[in-house]
């Protein structure tokens, strides 16, 4: 097998400072949007922690006593009721709404939906955005309805 030697010298522009992305508003917006993933990680870890606390409960007894669900009760009342956790969750909610709005604005540019299979005419952007927002509102309504009806 022969090896071909490459004489290509890739251009790697020097990075002058760590805050290079603050010089261009497009990059600032991009970095803020990508930073919402870190907050999504915190929300995911919070849910996993809640599942772990529920797994620590003794739910196999014939009659469940309040002492059997102490870990999950602590999680709901003390952990989720902590003002710091509430404030972090509000920030997470706002960041995820920002992420959803920016994603919905990007979706028609990233996914090309044709009007029909015999044409190259694309579906208007507003139709895709309306469908995404309708799905978000519908899913939110279903989740809230289930949450309030199971009390």
């Amino acid at each position: 097998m022969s090896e071909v030697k490459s004489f290509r010298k890739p251009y790697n522009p020097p990075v002058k400072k760590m805050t290079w992305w603050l010089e261009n508003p497009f990059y600032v917006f991009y970095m803020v949007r990508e930073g919402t993933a870190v907050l999504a990680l915190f929300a995911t870890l919070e849910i996993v922690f809640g599942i772990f606390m529920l797994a620590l409960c003794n739910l196999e007894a014939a009659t469940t006593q309040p002492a059997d669900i102490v870990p999950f009760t602590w999680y709901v009342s003390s952990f989720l009721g902590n003002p710091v956790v509430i404030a972090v969750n509000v920030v997470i909610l706002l960041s995820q709404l920002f992420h959803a709005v920016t994603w919905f604005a990007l979706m028609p540019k990233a996914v090309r939906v044709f009007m029909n299979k015999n044409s190259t005419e694309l579906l208007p952007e507003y139709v895709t955005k309306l469908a995404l927002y309708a799905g978000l509102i519908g899913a939110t309504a279903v989740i809230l309805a289930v949450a309030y009806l199971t009390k």
Side-chain angles (χ1 to χ4, degrees), residues 104 108 124-137:
F104 292 170
E125 286 189 12
Y126 74 90
V127 174
T128 305
K129 289 180 186 178
L130 284 175
L132 290 168
Y133 281 111
L136 175 66
I137 291 168

Side-chain angles (χ1 to χ4, degrees), residues 94-116:
L94 294 175
S95 74
Q96 294 311 301
L97 287 174
F98 170 75
H99 189 86
V101 168
T102 57
W103 180 256
F104 292 170
L106 178 71
M107 183 63 82
K109 296 171 182 69
V111 177
R112 299 170 41 105
V113 180
F114 295 102
M115 294 291 272
N116 60 40

Side-chain angles (χ1 to χ4, degrees), residues 27-46:
Y27 294 142
V28 171
F29 183 77
Y30 176 80
M31 294 298 274
V32 168
R33 185 181 182 288
E34 292 301 313
T36 60
V38 175
L39 294 173
L41 172 68
F42 288 137
T44 304
L45 291 176
E46 182 179 39

Side-chain angles (χ1 to χ4, degrees), residues 28-99:
V28 171
F29 183 77
Y30 176 80
M31 294 298 274
V32 168
R33 185 181 182 288
E34 292 301 313
T36 60
V38 175
L39 294 173
L41 172 68
F42 288 137
T44 304
L45 291 176
E46 182 179 39
I47 292 168
V48 169
F49 182 58
I51 292 170
F52 177 73
M53 295 307 274
L54 184 61
L56 291 178
C57 296
N58 182 16
L59 301 176
E60 295 177 3
T63 57
T64 305
Q65 302 296 322
D68 294 334
I69 58 169
V70 169
F72 191 71
T73 305
W74 172 86
Y75 169 75
V76 171
S77 62
S78 297
F79 182 75
L80 292 180
N82 188 330
V84 174
V85 175
I86 292 172
V88 169
N89 284 334
V90 168
V91 171
I92 289 171
L93 174 65
L94 294 175
S95 74
Q96 294 311 301
L97 287 174
F98 170 75
H99 189 86

